[in-house]
Amino acid sequence: MKILVIEDEKPLQESISSYFQEDGSRCEVASTFREASEKIGLYQYDCILLDLGLPDGDGLKLLQEIKSLKRKEGVLIISARHSLDDKLEGLDMGADDYLVKPFHLSELRARVAAIVRRKKFDGQQQIVFQEIQIELSSMRVLVHGMPVILTKKEYDLLIYFISNQGKVVTKNAIAEHLWGDDMDLADDYDFIYSHIKNLRRKLTAAGAIEYIHSIYGIGYKFGIL
């Protein structure tokens, strides 16, 4: 998953970020309303963790901004505000869930995973595309029922392609989704070509049809041509 943690309490921000990164998720952080607004305008995420009490603005206004942009990200409010009115207001404005501080990180992860499954795959625990089967909870990939060993980036790339099947995705969109802010450090897109080449090789070696098609000068399209 690719997650944006909007939280001004540095210890909690770092704790959440480290916890999700241990599972292989990609985490970016924002400590202020302005920083969060800039990141939301530039990048896309699977889920946004939103603290309401930001030092330079109200998190509910940021939620309004997210919804006005018609973004597809799930939004989980994490707040010290315990009142039912605050919770109902956040949910009524479009948040997918509301978790009151303090909370267990394991519960936070479970709620985020549920939101992402619901948003991307209608709550499914398993994705099937032709002969390719993906078990989301265990991150297992099978082709014709036989396991295929992928790296974390290759797995993320496959999920991204299947989520966008039939669409042309640019190299920049792939880089931003998989590497986030770090893509700015790259001089070229050779690292994308390498991961896509390896993913193609592993899937076809296992008996899958070639689904990843290069669109000259633009990017890639996943599906049956």
Side-chain angles (χ1 to χ4, degrees), residues 126-135 140-148 150 158 162 165 199-213 222-224:
Q126 187 180 89
I127 306 168
V128 177
F129 179 85
Q130 302 296 331
E131 65 274 21
I132 300 172
Q133 177 183 330
I134 303 173
E135 298 174 357
R140 290 184 74 216
V141 176
L142 302 98
V143 174
H144 294 299
M146 298 300 293
V148 178
L150 302 180
L158 178 59
I162 291 178
Q165 59 185 278
L199 177 60
R200 274 175 167 157
R201 176 177 54 79
K202 291 180 180 181
L203 292 178
T204 55
I209 296 171
E210 174 59 83
Y211 295 116
I212 305 172
H213 307 284
F222 186 90
I224 302 172

